[in-house]
Amino acid sequence: MPTPQKNEIIAELTELLKSTPGVFLTDYSGLNAEVMTDLRKRCYEANVNFRVVKNTLARKAAEAAGMPEMSEHFTDSTAIAYADDPSQPIKLLQKFTKDVREAEGKPEVRTGMVDGKLLDAAEMDFLAKMDSPEIVKAKFLGLLQAPASNFVGLISAVPSSLVRAMDQRRQKLEDNENSAG
């Protein structure tokens, strides 16, 4: 029988799954306290939330959030990582996994869901390699500004070319005057 505390956790997880653009499930079994502390520290520094969840409560929350396909991935030792930028948690988890796997053999990113779509391994890799939204915006603005900068350069080149041509003509006339005189 669910207790009020468990119902509160289910409601909280349901809201989290509905409102967060990107959620990733990871298996942390076999990691010692030192490694888990390192992971939590990295998450904190990158503004990524990391939370260990009880599988039964998380399954109920996934069902309530309308994500039944995600509920089957809540097995063994499960933690969820999420942030406002959906690429941030997967980038962090993949880097951490690469750093730690050599020594510990774990953790493993099981799956992820972005905007209600369950991701496979290839999609998670693609997302991890994408630039952050800030970088994409900066590149886009650079592309928008490039034609204007080129146009200004072109417009300013015409008068400066004319001035150079007139100066060369003046020097030539002065040289002709000096040699004739």
Side-chain angles (χ1 to χ4, degrees):
M1 180 118 198
T3 65
Q5 185 181 12
K6 288 181 182 178
N7 285 337
E8 186 178 313
I9 292 170
I10 292 169
E12 188 181 316
L13 287 173
T14 301
E15 182 57 32
L16 184 142
L17 292 172
K18 284 181 178 179
S19 64
T20 306
V23 177
F24 297 87
L25 306 183
T26 183
D27 179 357
Y28 67 90
S29 60
L31 297 181
N32 61 35
E34 182 182 337
V35 175
M36 279 296 284
T37 302
D38 181 34
L39 175 57
R40 288 177 188 273
K41 181 181 174 193
R42 290 186 194 195
C43 287
Y44 177 78
E45 290 169 354
N47 292 321
V48 171
N49 298 295
F50 184 80
R51 181 175 176 179
V52 173
V53 294
K54 286 191 168 273
N55 291 323
T56 16
L57 302 180
R59 274 190 223 104
K60 289 178 181 180
E63 296 284 337
M67 303 173 178
E69 62 275 6
M70 189 175 223
S71 65
E72 68 189 50
H73 295 281
F74 288 104
T75 59
D76 299 324
S77 300
T78 305
I80 58 174
Y82 57 97
D84 292 333
D85 173 6
S87 67
Q88 197 64 16
I90 190 63
K91 286 178 183 182
L92 184 138
L93 289 172
Q94 283 192 346
K95 178 164 181 7
F96 182 80
T97 299
K98 182 180 176 190
D99 293 348
V100 173
R101 184 166 286 159
E102 295 166 1
E104 304 289 329
K106 288 275 183 177
E108 175 186 342
V109 180
R110 284 194 197 126
T111 191
M113 186 167 274
V114 174
D115 294 330
K117 182 189 181 306
L118 198 65
L119 304 178
D120 60 25
E123 291 168 324
M124 287 191 292
D125 287 341
F126 178 77
L127 186 60
K129 291 174 185 165
M130 285 180 58
D131 290 331
S132 72
E134 292 80 22
I135 292 173
V136 172
K137 288 174 189 173
K139 286 180 179 180
F140 181 68
L141 287 174
L143 288 173
L144 289 177
Q145 289 177 335
S149 299
N150 292 342
F151 182 69
V152 168
L154 181 65
I155 288 175
S156 66
V158 172
S160 63
S161 297
L162 179 63
V163 168
R164 280 195 296 274
M166 289 173 64
D167 190 47
Q168 287 175 352
R169 178 71 178 149
R170 180 190 54 79
Q171 282 181 345
K172 191 174 186 182
L173 289 173
E174 285 177 359
D175 289 344
N176 287 343
E177 236 179 62
N178 289 340
S179 19

